[in-house]
């Protein structure tokens, strides 16, 4: 086999359980079709670095289950009586959009059953401990809105909340926690929040030089990208070259720069050929603030976040590496299930 074939097979093996194995088969051919959309000269190095990054940051169902089993047995979280802690814990199902929390609760319930013989339906027997589960915290807006509403309208006078997620970005956590604390103070309640994660990634603007997300060092010499940047009201923050990030996701900074440049060019192109994308769908991923995009490369077995580069997930006429389920599609499916008693 050629190096290219080896890389295609390796990436395919890493992502084989994405969305319950629903990727087009055979998966190496699917990856090949995706990478062929880039210039021929950069296809092999893109495959090399994507293979490296996904091995570090793609969370298969088994990896997520392993993290959950570890969380269940974390004494710093549970105290000495682990089983009693989970018996008493109250699991929150309050997410305002998407299925990630519902899916995570179901998987966590499986792990609890394997450990103790009871799932989350057997929990919540008393106490003031509440568990908020999700797969990832990116901008922090989702967890912020969910917990702000819960604190105002449903939280008891005193509570301990454990936010447990696979991956969180430092800026998103800081932003969410700051906003939630403001609501807690205004409510007059005593709510303590602790954050737990498998991996934390640096994305704060002040730490751009050591960022773990895609944040270009220069604007590519590409007419479409140059025009896109020129039309921005605020010029983007660029990172200083030399440090590929604190989490060790990338093989080296040269390889990271390659992804930043090529995914930025592809993202601008995608915005041109997909005119229905909203303004917040930036070339390097969803971001409400005017930037080049969030730039996260986290993908889990259940979905690809829209905070990832458009080159990862946008569909038709672009061909996505990770076709994703949107919150709108989830809402439609839930509405159908409510009306018919069935699930799509």
């Amino acid at each position: 086999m050629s190096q290219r074939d080896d890389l295609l097979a390796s990436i395919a093996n890493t992502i084989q359980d994405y969305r319950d194995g629903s990727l087009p088969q055979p998966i190496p051919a699917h990856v090949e079709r995706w990478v062929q959309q880039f210039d021929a000269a950069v296809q092999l190095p893109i495959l090399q670095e994507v293979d490296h990054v996904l091995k570090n940051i793609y969370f298969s169902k088994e990896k997520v289950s392993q993290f959950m089993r570890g969380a269940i047995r974390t004494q710093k979280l549970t105290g000495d009586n682990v089983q009693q802690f989970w018996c008493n814990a109250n699991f929150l199902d309050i997410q305002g959009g998407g299925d990630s929390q519902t899916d995570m609760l179901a998987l966590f319930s499986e792990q609890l059953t394997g450990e103790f013989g009871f799932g989350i339906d057997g929990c919540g027997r008393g106490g003031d401990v509440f568990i908020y589960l999700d797969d990832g915290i990116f901008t922090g807006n989702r967890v912020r809105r969910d917990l702000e509403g819960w604190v105002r309208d449903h939280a008891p006078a005193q509570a301990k909340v454990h936010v447990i997620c696979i991956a969180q970005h430092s800026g998103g956590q800081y932003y969410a926690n700051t906003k939630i604390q403001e609501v807690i103070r205004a409510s007059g309640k005593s709510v303590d929040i602790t954050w737990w994660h498998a991996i934390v990634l640096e994305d704060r603007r002040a730490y751009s030089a050591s960022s773990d997300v895609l944040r270009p060092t220069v604007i590519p010499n590409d007419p479409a990208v140059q025009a896109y940047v020129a039309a921005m009201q605020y010029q983007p923050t660029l990172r200083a070259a030399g440090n590929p990030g604190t989490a060790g996701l990338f093989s080296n900074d040269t390889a990271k720069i390659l992804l930043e440049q090529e995914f930025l060019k592809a993202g601008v192109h995608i915005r041109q050929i997909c005119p229905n994308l909203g303004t917040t769908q930036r070339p390097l991923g969803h971001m409400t603030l005017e930037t080049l995009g969030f730039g996260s490369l986290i993908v889990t077995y259940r979905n690809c976040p829209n905070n990832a580069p458009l080159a990862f997930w946008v569909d038709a006429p672009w061909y996505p590496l990770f076709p994703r389920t949107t919150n709108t599609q989830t809402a439609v499916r839930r509405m159908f299930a409510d009306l018919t008693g069935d699930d799509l």
Side-chain angles (χ1 to χ4, degrees):
M1 294 177 67
S2 68
Q3 183 185 17
R4 187 185 186 95
D5 289 338
D6 287 341
L7 289 167
L8 293 172
S10 180
I11 293 172
N13 182 63
T14 297
I15 67 175
Q16 61 182 313
D17 73 341
Y18 180 70
R19 289 180 62 190
D20 295 323
S22 65
L23 289 177
Q25 302 291 323
I27 301 177
H30 161 71
V31 180
E32 175 71 55
R33 182 177 175 185
W34 171 75
V35 80
Q36 283 182 353
Q37 297 170 114
F38 297 89
D39 291 340
V42 297
Q43 289 176 16
L44 186 61
I46 285 176
L47 288 174
Q48 289 172 327
E49 191 59 12
V50 167
D51 179 50
H52 179 88
V53 170
L54 289 179
K55 285 177 178 175
N56 286 323
I57 208 168
Y58 177 82
F59 286 90
S60 65
K61 188 173 184 179
E62 177 50 38
K63 279 188 178 180
V64 175
S65 299
Q66 185 178 17
F67 164 66
M68 289 181 172
R69 290 192 295 270
I72 288 170
R73 291 291 184 178
T74 298
Q75 194 174 43
K76 190 175 179 181
L77 166 64
T78 65
D80 293 334
N81 195 330
V82 179
Q83 185 167 333
Q84 189 62 46
F85 174 88
W86 293 113
C87 282
N88 292 337
N90 302 278
F91 285 83
L92 297 175
D93 190 0
I94 57 173
Q95 196 166 74
D99 263 348
S100 60
Q101 186 162 78
T102 300
D103 292 348
M104 291 287 283
L105 285 168
L107 187 57
F108 201 89
S109 189
E110 290 179 15
Q111 308 312 310
L112 271 178
T113 301
E115 290 285 330
F116 304 119
F118 61 84
I120 62 173
D121 288 342
C123 301
R125 300 179 187 177
D128 58 358
V129 172
F130 295 83
I131 309 296
Y132 179 99
L133 284 170
D134 204 1
D135 52 1
I137 294 173
F138 296 86
T139 63
N141 277 318
R142 173 62 54 73
V143 63
R144 168 207 168 185
R145 293 180 184 127
D146 291 344
L147 288 180
E148 282 179 347
W150 179 77
V151 166
R152 280 193 302 261
D153 303 328
H154 303 289
Q158 184 170 336
K160 297 178 182 177
V161 178
H162 296 281
V163 178
I164 302 174
C165 67
I166 303 163
Q168 64 186 40
H169 290 78
S170 52
Q173 181 206 323
Y174 177 81
Y175 168 77
N177 191 58
T178 299
K179 294 298 183 180
I180 296 166
Q181 293 300 328
E182 292 175 359
V183 173
I184 291 172
R185 287 191 291 271
S187 72
K189 298 176 181 178
S190 176
V191 180
D192 179 64
I193 300 179
T194 307
W195 305 77
W196 305 86
H197 55 265
I199 184 173
V200 61
L201 304 176
E202 181 58 71
D203 72 301
R204 290 170 293 180
R205 181 176 178 179
Y207 298 89
S208 292
S210 57
S211 177
D212 293 309
V213 298
L214 299 182
R215 190 161 291 164
T217 57
V218 296
I219 302 303
N221 186 21
D222 177 271
V225 178
Q226 296 278 346
Y228 181 87
V229 172
M232 295 175 66
Q233 183 177 0
Y234 303 102
Q235 291 303 289
T237 298
L238 303 177
R239 71 177 181 90
N243 187 341
T246 57
L249 306 180
F250 302 92
S251 57
N252 54 66
D253 199 43
T254 299
K256 181 181 182 181
I257 289 171
L258 172 79
L259 292 190
E260 289 168 337
Q261 297 289 296
E262 297 305 320
F263 284 0
L264 176 55
K265 289 190 289 185
V268 170
H269 172 64
I270 290 167
R271 287 196 53 81
Q272 292 176 328
I273 63 176
C274 300
N276 293 328
L277 287 172
T279 57
T280 60
Q281 302 304 334
R282 317 290 181 184
L284 293 177
H286 172 81
M287 189 70 175
T288 302
L289 298 176
E290 187 187 42
T291 68
L292 294 175
F294 193 89
S296 176
L297 293 177
I298 295 172
V299 180
T300 74
Y301 74 93
R302 55 168 307 279
N303 210 7
C304 176
N306 64 359
N307 303 96
L310 303 187
F312 259 15
W313 60 269
V314 169
D315 201 352
W318 182 262
Y319 185 80
L321 180 60
F322 296 106
R324 69 183 298 269
T325 300
T326 67
N327 288 345
T328 299
Q329 291 168 330
T330 298
V332 170
R333 180 171 61 78
R334 284 180 171 175
M335 181 176 65
F336 182 90
D338 289 342
L339 290 173
T340 65
D342 296 321
D343 202 356
L344 289 176

